[in-house]
Amino acid sequence: MNYKNRHKLNMKGAALLTLSMILLSPISATHIHAMDRQSDQNQARNQMKSGKVKSLREIEGIVIPRMGGAEYLGPEYDSIAQVYRLKFIDKGRVIFVDVDARTGQILQRR
């Protein structure tokens, strides 16, 4: 095997190794999403402490009694829009309730 052929094989091997490292990297879309959620949680906490938004407990106190016994699955928070999204399930149907974190007003139920 001459130098050119060995060089081509080494380049292919390097490309495959690089691709494998990228695909097997621990930073996946799921991991990035989890990091974003953690950042939103920190933002919610900071915004609540500064008095800009209501606490999750206050929001839950407004929304849960209005849900007619639907099972509460948990919250998400969008720090940019300052909106809580509470997730419920009732008779196999998932329900999302979006709430303005500043006022506690229900914006949308779907």
Side-chain angles (χ1 to χ4, degrees), residues 48-66:
M48 186 197 59
K49 285 181 181 177
S50 69
K52 292 181 183 176
V53 300
K54 295 183 176 296
S55 73
L56 175 59
R57 298 294 168 239
E58 289 177 274
I59 298 296
E60 290 170 338
I62 293 167
V63 176
I64 293 173
R66 298 178 182 186

Side-chain angles (χ1 to χ4, degrees), residues 31-43 74-77:
H31 183 73
I32 291 170
H33 179 68
M35 289 171 34
D36 287 344
R37 286 197 59 198
Q38 185 177 18
S39 175
D40 278 342
Q41 290 171 353
N42 290 336
Q43 283 283 59
E76 287 186 16
Y77 182 70

Side-chain angles (χ1 to χ4, degrees), residues 3 13 21 39 50 67 95 98 107:
Y3 173 76
M21 289 172 59
S39 175
S50 69
M67 293 307 295
I95 303 165
D98 295 339
L107 302 172

